[in-house]
Amino acid sequence: MPTSPDKPSQGDTDAARHPPSETEGTASTQDSAAGRRIAFNAGSYHIFAFDLRQPVEILIERLCNDTSDGPGLDPTLPTLFLAECVLVYMPSDQTAQLLRGLARGFPHAAFLHYEQAGLSACQSLADQEKRFIETGWKRATAWTVNQVYQSFSQATRHRIEHVEMLDDLEISQQLFDHYCILYAVNDENQYSWSDLYEPLAQIC
């Protein structure tokens, strides 16, 4: 169907014809094969896609790369790794090489880990801790979500329960017993173990 040159054809939009430029101070890289954005950098904020099943050396090189698609981390500085329901979906051998490589590559690191407990790879909290100790982390302690929740003050729990409006606390507690939070460090001089509890005590 012919269209007027000054009007978009059906389905077109002004944004499609005149896409916005990158926000000032940001940069992105594209997957040339698929045309997908694979990295986004804005100041000190960096996002990039990575398959954690690949050799951990590739990940560390990417993390420490200060080019347009890397955050340029300094592995000698204290670093906190966060993982939310990630390791549970990886084969055990690939999880082990990831944890071992991060412990070795970042000697002053801590790892905060949240995932399901009681699965085949980690049947218990002790298994969760053992997985980190055996891959080079100096210390690791795991708690169920219920244990963490009960460490909050009564006032904090009261506030949370009114925000979330838990209508069946018993079912929630059963669910929380099947999720755990683990904290591991590979430099106990850098991370005082008591530092983990003091912030919780201040929550109100």
Side-chain angles (χ1 to χ4, degrees):
M1 176 184 297
T3 60
S4 171
D6 59 348
K7 293 182 179 180
S9 60
Q10 186 175 4
D12 288 344
T13 65
D14 186 64
R17 290 185 296 139
H18 305 288
S21 59
E22 292 286 350
T23 304
E24 185 177 357
T26 68
S28 64
T29 58
Q30 301 283 334
D31 181 337
S32 58
R36 297 173 299 176
R37 175 177 291 179
I38 58 173
F40 180 84
N41 302 316
S44 60
Y45 187 73
H46 306 270
I47 298 177
F48 64 86
F50 189 85
D51 184 347
L52 294 175
R53 297 171 299 178
Q54 294 188 54
V56 68
E57 292 78 13
I58 300 176
L59 173 62
I60 293 175
E61 180 181 1
R62 183 79 178 275
L63 289 172
C64 298
N65 186 350
D66 60 1
T67 61
S68 61
D69 65 346
L73 296 184
D74 183 346
T76 66
L77 295 179
T79 304
L80 174 64
F81 293 99
L82 302 174
E84 180 181 356
C85 296
V86 174
L87 305 184
V88 67
Y89 295 109
M90 296 172 57
S92 297
D93 58 336
Q94 293 172 346
T95 296
Q97 72 93 22
L98 173 66
L99 296 178
R100 185 176 295 109
L102 293 178
R104 183 174 58 246
F106 292 83
H108 307 292
F111 202 115
L112 192 59
H113 169 54
Y114 166 76
E115 75 173 18
Q116 301 93 320
L119 301 180
S120 58
C122 291
Q123 296 282 346
S124 64
L125 296 182
D127 288 338
Q128 290 278 358
E129 296 167 355
K130 181 180 178 182
R131 174 166 60 174
F132 278 79
I133 297 300
E134 289 184 343
T135 53
W137 297 83
K138 297 294 191 300
R139 187 170 181 177
T141 299
W143 305 266
T144 67
V145 171
N146 270 330
Q147 290 174 319
V148 174
Y149 186 65
Q150 291 302 318
S151 72
F152 295 161
S153 68
Q154 184 176 357
T156 296
R157 296 198 303 270
H158 179 78
R159 176 176 57 82
I160 293 172
E161 289 163 11
H162 277 72
V163 170
E164 293 294 333
M165 297 299 291
L166 298 176
D167 57 356
D168 196 327
L169 188 58
E170 182 177 349
I171 291 179
S172 297
Q173 290 173 339
Q174 291 174 359
L175 176 65
F176 294 161
D177 268 336
H178 293 282
Y179 282 81
C180 70
I181 294 176
L182 178 142
Y183 181 64
V185 298
N186 59 5
D187 182 357
E188 294 190 74
N189 294 324
Q190 184 69 46
Y191 302 96
S192 170
W193 206 248
S194 62
D195 289 347
L196 184 64
Y197 297 95
E198 292 170 1
L200 294 178
Q202 300 301 318
I203 297 176
C204 60

